[in-house]
Amino acid sequence: MSGADARRPLIAGNWKMYKTVAEAESFVQSLLPRIAGRAGIDVGICPPFPALAAIVDSTRGSSVGVYAQNMHQEPEGAFTGEVSAPMLAELGVQGTILGHSERREQFGESDRALQLKLPAALQAGLEPILCVGETEEERERGDTERKLRHQVQEDLTRVEDARLSEVVIAYEPIWAIGSGKVATAEQAQEAIAFIRALVADRSRVAAERTRILYGGSVKAENAQELLALPDVDGALVGGASLDADTFAAIVAAAP
Ligand code: 13P
């Protein structure tokens, strides 16, 4: 197996700050029968912290993995309001989103912190989903590749080559998030192939295996075209992941 064949598609739903535990439970009860027949694909849901334990429990034995949306780089310490990788791993959480643009823009998440968070997640047995992407202004001034190069190179600095392919990367152009303005197939393929080439600069073997997702206004209507692109290994879905029917339709659209 090589290239895209070696990469199992991942469709993950980032719920952001939506759904109480009760709402999350009812989503899972509705989702599981809708995706039961779907083989050869990984499905992830990323609920807010309070719902993690309950959802790990109610998805046990299914194809759904549960991911957090953030974590602190230290295993423990005087960091009020933070949650560590070993605490998430103890719950049976499979991984965590790291470096989402909302955290970078609104909560001061830095490349420096991400350099520490990525190895800390791997060390605890968690699969990180590292988000990268350019603003509209950066795209317009032709700085997309420069931004992606900076984020991918900086954030992965402390991940050893042998573990690079355990990091999932999500290309999320900031202008496409929550805006209904989805990247064209050409833009998504081009940016994701570029990210793969950046990983290949570190390790060719890892680049063949690294799953790179597209995120930003993925809907049931546009999922099929995006997911069929050669370098796109899945999707990180925001708004459209909040409804079980819609999310199941996106899962069904994966090749
Ligand atoms: P939307 O799908 O709502 O645009 O959000 C994308 C996103 O931020 C996923 O992490």
Side-chain angles (χ1 to χ4, degrees):
M1 258 196 327
S2 73
D5 296 340
R7 305 189 298 266
R8 211 173 143 86
L10 170 62
I11 309 294
N14 173 13
W15 286 356
K16 311 192 177 183
M17 199 174 74
Y18 290 98
K19 293 195 192 294
T20 62
V21 178
E23 288 164 347
E25 284 283 14
S26 113
F27 173 97
V28 168
Q29 295 322 317
S30 162
L31 178 72
L32 292 182
R34 285 174 168 76
I35 61 168
R38 194 62 236 256
I41 183 176
D42 292 334
V43 178
I45 49 183
C46 319
F49 288 128
L52 287 173
I55 298 313
V56 165
D57 228 35
S58 52
T59 55
R60 197 160 280 136
S62 76
S63 61
V64 176
V66 181
Y67 294 73
Q69 299 175 14
N70 181 37
M71 53 159 245
H72 194 272
Q73 59 269 30
E74 293 297 329
E76 61 180 11
F79 302 107
T80 302
E82 293 289 325
V83 169
S84 76
M87 292 170 187
L88 294 172
E90 183 193 35
L91 295 181
V93 162
Q94 179 158 334
T96 183
I97 296 174
L98 289 174
H100 192 279
S101 60
E102 286 152 16
R103 296 218 58 85
R104 293 181 192 256
E105 288 188 334
Q106 301 175 49
F107 302 99
E109 179 82 304
S110 65
D111 292 313
R112 214 180 148 78
L114 288 164
Q115 284 178 3
L116 302 172
K117 288 185 180 199
L118 282 151
L122 292 170
Q123 165 84 16
L126 297 176
E127 177 178 53
I129 302 178
L130 171 68
C131 301
V132 298
E134 80 288 0
T135 62
E136 185 152 43
E137 200 193 350
E138 287 164 335
R139 175 163 284 272
E140 277 167 7
R141 20 168 235 265
D143 273 346
T144 299
E145 292 196 347
R146 191 193 56 79
K147 175 71 170 293
L148 295 177
R149 183 182 298 110
H150 176 83
Q151 289 184 323
V152 170
Q153 288 181 348
E154 285 294 307
D155 299 352
L156 293 174
T157 304
R158 291 171 189 245
V159 176
E160 47 185 307
D161 288 359
R163 302 205 71 178
L164 270 180
S165 66
E166 296 173 53
V167 179
V168 176
I169 302 176
Y171 168 61
E172 299 208 309
I174 296 169
W175 48 271
I177 295 178
S179 63
K181 265 202 265 179
V182 66
T184 64
E186 195 183 356
Q187 287 169 328
Q189 168 58 28
E190 191 179 38
I192 290 179
F194 179 71
I195 292 169
R196 196 174 304 288
L198 292 171
V199 178
D201 287 344
R202 290 273 310 270
S203 160
R204 280 196 173 279
V205 179
E208 286 289 299
R209 297 197 179 135
T210 299
R211 295 193 288 185
I212 311 181
L213 318 181
Y214 169 79
S217 295
V218 175
K219 309 282 175 222
E221 301 74 48
N222 59 29
Q224 197 167 9
E225 186 186 14
L226 290 162
L227 294 170
L229 296 168
D231 277 287
V232 176
D233 304 316
L236 185 56
V237 186
S241 73
L242 294 169
D243 176 78
D245 261 336
T246 312
F247 189 56
I250 295 172
V251 171

